[in-house]
Each structure stands twice: as structure tokens, then as C-alpha cells.
Amino acid sequence: MAKQSAVFKILVLILSPLFFILRFLFPAKLKVDKYKLNIHGIHTPLKVVQISDIHYDFPHAPQRVTDSLLTSVVSTINSLKPDLIVLTGDYVQHDPVPVENLCKLHLSKLKSRFGVFATLGNHDLHFATSKEIISTAFKKYGIRFLDNECVLPFPKEVGKFMVVGLGDLHMKDFHPEKVEKELKDDTFPKLLLSHNPDTAKMLMQYSIDLQVSGHTHGSGIVLPFIGPVLPHIHTILSWFPKFIIKDVSKIGYVNVIKNWKWLSGLHTVTSHSCYRDEKKVEVNNVLYVNRGLATHPPLRLFCDPEITLLELYPAEKKGQVLKKKKKKKKKKKSTLR
């Protein structure tokens, strides 16, 4: 144990000045990432906004996210005028009690046409009482918690578009079997909330038009010409003795996921032939992984905290709704003979 502690302290001592300089030179800035997707089975365009991985904590604890940032997040989201807001887990660091202030000061101020929906992440299930405390706060402040369940929040003019929320994979709260009947029905589109993106591989048998996840923080550090560092750290650590691997893992989440290609952004997982509105169509299982809002130690570098705006359009129109067509002027018939 003493040997492990010494290795960890040496690494922190060496790297801390470098991290301080990098945070000063390249501060993280809140970004809105926008994507346009075609969905078979919806009848009107929809704007869905996603945020993830807040890691709110007590004021005396190390702060991974600030109230000023969250105020900016809420203001930015409301300015987008979303139809639906989805939250994909890790609202607290470990202790669930700060979720009350998070909801009271910030999440309760989110505005959307059809509501705010949430599922939990691994940090939200750290204690036996965590789920109850967080779900109670959500109910109090008007956030719909989906605990391995599904809802139809949209009116008829939008179409039958189901929102599914599944529990966290890492904490063994992931139970798709509870909504298997709905998942198997591929005659209508689905938006699925699942904290860990690895679940997309486990759900490949179903037609999931859009899955939104978080958990990865986008690797936290992304270097030019190299990309996200976590996969490289994972490879390098495999060369070292186990006691070093355990020690180094304290400064980051090395084994955060198995599918490293899904660290952030938009991905097509698989596709299915389905019948939508009595027409046979090819539906892609699309996964979106949000980079999150909180900054895990030591820093965010070229990996800014993210609000995701997903603009969904009826697939039958194939994007034509994005542009208004100009009406052709009818030529007047000549009266001359």
C-alpha cells in the first residue's frame, strides 16, 4: 500500500504544474453541438436537447461544476426553445443530498414543450438510498424519472414516438427486459436514454432510432493529432505491473467503457428493416454520446462541456423540411393570336 501511495503522489507532483498551465492557456468553454436527424414515423419536426454528467456536490467539496456554469447552461437551453429535454445521468458526485439544490437552483428552471425526462448514472446509485433521494427531488421539481420504463409524451400530431429510460449498466440497474414488449415493437420510433453508451451494443437486437448517452466525458482530454487520451492510457497501462495500474487509475476513469469508439459524438450502431406508417423502411440505430458538463480532475483539454441539440425531422421528407421551396410563378397565356 505504501508503494502504491508513493507512486500516486509522485505522479501528482510531476503533473500538477503542467495541468495548471494547460487549464490557464486552454480554458474549457460551454458549447452547443447541433445535429439534424431523420426519424421514420414522426410527423412534425422536433427539437430535443440533452445534457449529462453534472456531478453536483456540496460547496465544501472539490467542485467539478460551478453554479455559474449551470446558470449559463439553463439559460442557453431555454433560448433554444426545445420540445423535449433529456438528462442522462450522474447528477451528483457520490452523496445524493446535493441533488435538492441542483434541482431547486437549476434543473427546475428548464423549459420545454413536452417536459424534462431523466435517467440515472452510476454516480447516482452510490448509496442504497441514492435512487430514492434523487427520484424524490425530481418529482418535487417536475422532472420525470424513467426507471426502466417508457412513456409517450407527444400529442397525436407528432406521431407515436416513445421515450424509454433504462437504468445504469455499471451499477447493475440496467433492465431492458422490463420494457421488452415495447422495445420489440418496431412499428413506431423510439428515443432511448441510457447513461452508459456500451448498452447500445446490448440493444442491437431492437430498433432504437436514437439512443442518447453520457458517462465518458468525451475522454476529458483530447490532444491534437492524437485524439482522446483514454484509449491510449488504457493501452499503455496494460504494459505495467498491476500495482501501478491500480494507482494510476485514481487520477482518471481508465476503464470507463469497453467500446472506445463511442467516447463522444454521433454513431450508427446497426440497422433494421421495419414497417412505419404501413411502409417498409430501413431504420438506423443511432447513438449519441454527450461529453457532459462536469470537469473530472485533472482538467478538460480540447474537450469542452456540451449541450446537445438534436433536431429531428420526418424521414419521409428526406430533409426537404430544412429549406422552404420557392413557388414557381405561372406563366400567363398570351392573348395574341
Side-chain angles (χ1 to χ4, degrees):
M1 292 295 293
K3 191 174 183 180
Q4 289 185 27
S5 179
V7 172
F8 179 70
K9 288 178 180 177
I10 290 169
L11 281 170
V12 170
L13 187 65
I14 293 171
L15 295 175
S16 290
L18 175 62
F19 292 147
F20 179 80
I21 293 169
L22 289 172
R23 289 182 74 166
F24 178 76
L25 293 175
F26 306 102
K29 297 179 180 178
L30 180 65
K31 285 191 174 179
V32 179
D33 286 3
K34 301 178 181 181
Y35 295 85
K36 296 178 181 180
L37 299 171
N38 291 323
I39 302 292
H40 287 281
I42 63 171
H43 303 147
T44 60
L46 291 169
K47 288 197 290 186
V48 177
V49 168
Q50 178 202 8
I51 56 172
S52 194
D53 297 270
I54 299 171
H55 294 269
Y56 202 73
D57 212 342
F58 293 109
H60 62 265
Q63 295 301 297
R64 291 167 170 80
V65 68
T66 63
D67 283 307
S68 60
L69 174 64
L70 291 175
T71 298
S72 178
V73 167
V74 171
S75 175
T76 302
I77 289 175
N78 290 342
S79 71
L80 296 172
K81 297 182 180 179
D83 296 303
L84 192 78
I85 297 173
V86 292
L87 317 175
T88 48
D90 280 3
Y91 310 101
V92 296
Q93 179 57 18
H94 287 121
D95 196 314
V97 173
V99 77
E100 172 73 21
N101 273 343
L102 172 64
C103 290
K104 181 180 179 180
L105 299 176
H106 304 293
L107 299 185
S108 63
K109 298 176 182 178
L110 292 170
K111 297 176 183 178
S112 73
R113 286 178 67 200
F114 303 120
V116 181
F117 294 83
T119 192
L120 301 186
N122 52 305
H123 282 255
D124 305 318
L125 298 165
H126 193 75
F127 297 102
T129 57
S130 292
K131 182 188 285 191
E132 183 181 354
I133 291 171
I134 293 173
S135 62
T136 300
F138 282 172
K139 185 176 181 179
K140 179 179 177 180
Y141 291 100
I143 299 166
R144 178 65 190 272
F145 168 46
L146 298 177
D147 187 17
N148 294 296
E149 57 187 307
C150 51
V151 291
L152 290 166
F154 302 107
K156 289 182 179 180
E157 57 265 25
V158 173
K160 189 178 180 181
F161 189 19
M162 182 170 284
V163 178
V164 184
L166 297 179
D168 182 67
L169 176 65
H170 180 73
M171 301 302 287
K172 299 180 180 179
D173 195 41
F174 177 73
H175 296 293
E177 69 277 5
K178 291 186 177 181
V179 288
E180 189 169 21
K181 180 181 177 182
E182 290 80 5
L183 291 176
K184 281 184 174 180
D185 190 344
D186 60 10
T187 61
F188 55 87
K190 302 171 197 69
L191 168 62
L192 187 138
L193 285 58
S194 180
H195 180 65
N196 192 322
D198 276 338
T199 58
K201 190 171 184 178
M202 304 170 71
L203 297 168
M204 287 175 64
Q205 61 181 303
Y206 307 114
S207 172
I208 308 293
D209 299 69
L210 176 59
Q211 174 176 331
V212 288
S213 298
H215 186 55
T216 67
H217 293 243
S219 176
I221 300 174
V222 179
L223 299 178
F225 309 110
I226 294 175
V229 300
L230 278 184
H232 300 290
I233 292 175
H234 186 266
T235 301
I236 292 169
L237 287 181
S238 65
W239 306 338
F240 288 86
K242 287 185 178 180
F243 78 89
I244 293 180
I245 294 173
K246 289 180 181 179
D247 218 40
V248 174
S249 67
K250 293 177 183 177
I251 64 171
Y253 35 96
V254 178
N255 295 309
V256 61
I257 57 172
K258 294 180 179 178
N259 296 282
W260 293 105
K261 60 185 176 181
W262 295 341
L263 270 174
S264 65
L266 198 67
H267 308 272
T268 299
V269 179
T270 186
S271 62
H272 295 268
S273 292
C274 307
Y275 281 90
R276 299 280 172 84
D277 294 329
E278 300 180 349
K279 295 178 182 178
K280 190 174 183 180
V281 295
E282 195 74 12
V283 173
N284 290 328
N285 281 30
V286 175
L287 167 68
Y288 188 81
V289 185
N290 180 290
R291 294 188 303 272
L293 294 172
T295 298
H296 270 318
L299 78 164
R300 276 187 181 269
L301 185 63
F302 305 121
C303 183
D304 293 315
E306 175 187 2
I307 296 169
T308 310
L309 172 61
L310 299 160
E311 296 180 310
L312 311 182
Y313 295 90
E316 291 74 13
K317 297 185 179 182
K318 298 181 180 178
Q320 291 178 9
V321 289
L322 305 185
K323 295 180 181 179
K324 291 183 179 180
K325 287 186 175 181
K326 292 181 179 180
K327 293 182 180 180
K328 293 182 179 180
K329 292 182 180 180
K330 293 182 179 180
K331 293 182 180 180
K332 293 183 179 180
K333 292 182 180 181
S334 176
T335 54
L336 297 176
R337 292 186 178 179

